Amino acid sequence: MTKIIFLGTPDFSATVLRGLLKEGYDVIAAVTQPDKPVGRKQKLQKSPVKLVAESENIKLFQPAKLPGSPEVEELKALHADLIITAAYGQFLPTSFLESAKVAAINVHGSLLPKYRGGAPIQWSLINGDKETGITIMYMVKAMDAGDIISQEKLPIEKDDDNGSLFEKMAIVGRELLLDTIPKILSGDINPIKQDPDKVVFSPNISKEQEHIDFTKPAETVFNQIRALSPDPGAWMMLDGQRTKLYKTEVIELNSNQAVGTVADLSKKKLVIVAGDGQGVSIKKIQPAGKKIMDIANYMNGLGKNLEKGQQVIDEK
């Protein structure tokens, strides 16, 4: 039976891991990020991969940093046939990758060489791409630079956000991996080197990039918001309140009103002018200290005193 060491952290990774287990592969160890404090009470939260590993009695490792750790030596001593990573979130030492008897491979959330790095799905949405996909690739020392083993394309729908696209990509990644592993084991593959001239990087989203700039075109604002929804959420100062937006729609206005003013509103609607004169219609919103709500609830509560033509975006 093929022995696998699996490394991953979020739901995307857990979906892939469950697929390997269901297919009958012997996952002899799972490696995931340490438990993370969340919320106001900073309660430690287990990663989705840890939850799967515990439920399936898989030996679990959670080093703060894998390179140079005692854990990496223990993992190397397991002599796995395959080392498989999927959104793990750390660099892996070359000596560990080379310890795999057959191969060390990665399930990556883009069509490489486009979007190397930690946030490929988010950047495909930010940039308004019409399609994305999954790449199964050999792992090498350089980030996401290994030869391509297999790829599968996936269209990006207009109503996709970070959450929905991650779910779709996880399923595509799982199925592509399960289709690819037997070919790797049998040697029935023709790896393709990545074209260095087509490399695009997708670094992790910074805190500054979570802030919404309404001086930009409405389509740009729309794409930023869906790329960060549901987590961590893009924010702006709305009527003096730090407010997160989770779902919006671009409305054709051709308005000459000032950026950040209310172009249209009702008990179920709030449209704000963006930098190109088009409108951003807010659908889901979270005022500071409140739960996420639809726009009707907001307009019948905190937003009930807003007026058409009012300047509501305050960036001071």
Side-chain angles (χ1 to χ4, degrees):
M1 184 179 292
T2 303
K3 294 182 178 180
I4 293 172
I5 295 174
F6 182 84
L7 301 92
T9 299
D11 286 321
F12 176 92
S13 318
T15 298
V16 175
L17 175 56
R18 282 191 293 265
L20 290 169
L21 295 169
K22 187 176 180 180
E23 196 71 12
Y25 287 106
D26 184 11
V27 180
I28 58 175
V31 187
T32 192
Q33 297 278 38
D35 296 0
K36 182 179 178 182
V38 297
R40 292 181 180 178
K41 295 183 179 179
Q42 292 291 281
K43 184 177 179 180
L44 289 178
Q45 184 178 74
K46 299 177 181 180
S47 77
V49 163
K50 181 173 183 175
L51 294 174
V52 174
E54 288 181 339
S55 69
E56 299 293 335
N57 296 313
I58 300 170
K59 189 167 186 176
L60 183 68
F61 297 82
Q62 290 184 276
K65 287 188 177 180
L66 190 61
S69 68
E71 289 90 343
V72 77
E73 296 304 319
E74 191 173 348
L75 287 164
K76 286 158 64 175
L78 294 176
H79 302 296
D81 297 302
L82 294 173
I83 294 171
I84 299 175
T85 69
Y88 171 47
Q90 288 191 32
F91 281 103
L92 305 180
T94 302
S95 62
F96 171 55
L97 300 177
E98 291 176 346
S99 72
K101 291 181 179 179
V102 179
I105 60 175
N106 181 34
V107 184
H108 185 76
S110 79
L111 297 171
L112 290 170
K114 190 174 186 180
Y115 299 139
R116 291 182 185 177
I121 297 176
Q122 292 91 330
W123 282 103
S124 68
L125 288 165
I126 288 172
N127 291 332
D129 292 352
K130 298 295 187 290
E131 73 172 8
T132 182
I134 292 288
T135 299
I136 309 293
M137 49 166 280
Y138 285 117
M139 296 196 70
V140 294
K141 185 176 181 179
M143 181 177 63
D144 300 329
D147 291 353
I148 295 167
I149 303 169
S150 58
Q151 290 185 319
E152 183 76 27
K153 293 181 179 179
L154 177 72
I156 299 177
E157 306 295 340
K158 196 69 175 178
D159 60 352
D160 272 326
D161 62 13
N162 184 9
S164 67
L165 195 53
F166 257 99
E167 289 179 6
K168 293 177 183 179
M169 295 278 276
I171 293 169
V172 173
R174 178 191 68 198
E175 297 305 307
L176 183 61
L177 178 65
L178 295 177
D179 181 66
T180 303
I181 287 176
K183 298 174 184 177
I184 293 174
L185 296 174
S186 68
D188 185 24
I189 54 171
N190 295 294
I192 300 171
K193 291 193 177 298
Q194 295 188 39
D195 185 344
D197 294 331
K198 294 182 179 180
V199 171
V200 177
F201 289 98
S202 58
N204 290 332
I205 304 297
S206 67
K207 290 291 184 183
E208 292 75 19
Q209 289 168 326
E210 294 172 13
H211 175 247
I212 304 166
D213 181 0
F214 264 82
T215 65
K216 294 182 177 179
E219 190 76 20
T220 301
V221 172
F222 164 79
N223 284 329
Q224 178 190 9
I225 290 165
R226 66 185 184 134
L228 302 181
S229 175
D231 184 59
W235 67 273
M236 65 178 190
M237 297 300 295
L238 175 59
D239 199 24
Q241 296 281 328
R242 183 182 170 104
T243 305
K244 289 188 174 184
L245 304 184
Y246 291 93
K247 187 174 183 180
T248 59
E249 181 182 354
V250 176
I251 301 295
E252 187 172 345
L253 294 177
N254 297 316
S255 173
N256 58 7
Q257 297 179 74
V259 171
T261 57
V262 176
D264 196 9
L265 81 171
S266 70
K267 289 184 177 181
K268 296 182 179 180
K269 178 169 60 177
L270 177 60
V271 181
I272 299 175
V273 181
D276 59 352
Q278 305 305 311
V280 176
S281 179
I282 300 170
K283 302 296 185 183
K284 287 191 179 296
I285 187 169
Q286 184 182 28
K290 304 291 184 180
K291 294 182 178 180
I292 299 174
M293 61 185 74
D294 62 35
I295 195 61
N297 287 339
Y298 177 79
M299 293 304 293
N300 286 293
L302 291 174
K304 65 183 178 182
N305 293 323
L306 295 176
E307 298 179 356
K308 192 171 182 179
Q310 180 181 343
Q311 176 63 247
V312 293
I313 305 297
D314 179 12
E315 303 300 351
K316 293 181 181 179

